[in-house]
Amino acid sequence: MEINNPNPSKMDRKFIERNRRIQMKALYSKLNSLVPHHSSREAVSLPDQLDEATNYIKRLKANLDRMKEMKDGLRGLEERGNTSRSYGSKSPQIQIQEIGSSLAIALNTGFNSQFIFNETIRIVHEERAEVVNANFSVVDDDTVFHTIHLKTGEPSTAARISQRLNKFVHDADASNKY
């Protein structure tokens, strides 16, 4: 005759529960390792760890949403640029005034043409001229007006800079038309 012993069933439940707790602890540990922490050396309670992980995930989601909006905005600018020109609707224009060993440069570009300004500054630095002042103003939705004042060592350097900048802007405009 068999006697029913309730203990084996109770032991199975304890074993299952212990394994569940071990598994949950491992999962909490893994989650905690994925969240960046401040250099705090004190122990953080489990609910605090979960709050920290939740907040971190929310921040990531907000950053992702913000970046998606930025990407969509940039795609809109790109599409708008492709319908007209890659430099915006304005052709780049440059006016250079030589005053002895100094130069005053007026540069008009499209809003999406910041690289033209950067290239202008690069050319100036290659010629070892000193930028005394550089400003810009956004005139309308698609025009940026840059002014740059330079000091060069000698008039021949000013003439060389003037020639290089005119060539660069002319080449940039010509390559944009095709």
Side-chain angles (χ1 to χ4, degrees), residues 97-112:
Q97 191 173 31
E98 293 181 42
I99 308 163
S101 62
S102 297
L103 287 176
I105 302 170
L107 178 65
N108 291 331
T109 65
F111 189 71
N112 297 329

Side-chain angles (χ1 to χ4, degrees), residues 108-125:
N108 291 331
T109 65
F111 189 71
N112 297 329
S113 305
Q114 292 90 352
F115 87 93
I116 294 176
F117 174 77
N118 294 342
E119 187 65 16
T120 301
I121 296 297
R122 187 188 66 75
I123 290 170
V124 165
H125 281 282

Side-chain angles (χ1 to χ4, degrees), residues 48-65:
D48 289 342
Q49 289 177 16
L50 291 175
D51 281 343
E52 194 175 325
T54 302
N55 291 334
Y56 178 66
I57 291 169
K58 287 178 182 177
R59 283 193 310 271
L60 288 176
K61 170 111 175 69
N63 283 343
L64 179 65
D65 292 343

Side-chain angles (χ1 to χ4, degrees), residues 7 48 75 77 80 110 136 141 150 171:
N7 285 341
D48 289 342
R75 278 191 177 154
L77 286 175
R80 188 179 72 176
F136 76 95
D141 286 343
L150 310 174
D171 290 349

Side-chain angles (χ1 to χ4, degrees), residues 87 92-96 105 107 115-116 119-120 122-123 127 158-176:
Y87 295 132
Q93 298 173 346
I94 191 165
Q95 294 176 344
I96 302 171
I105 302 170
L107 178 65
F115 87 93
I116 294 176
E119 187 65 16
T120 301
R122 187 188 66 75
I123 290 170
E127 294 293 338
R160 193 169 53 246
I161 291 172
S162 180
Q163 181 182 16
R164 285 185 68 187
L165 290 176
N166 278 314
K167 181 179 180 337
F168 166 69
V169 170
H170 173 65
D171 290 349
D173 187 34
S175 69
N176 188 38

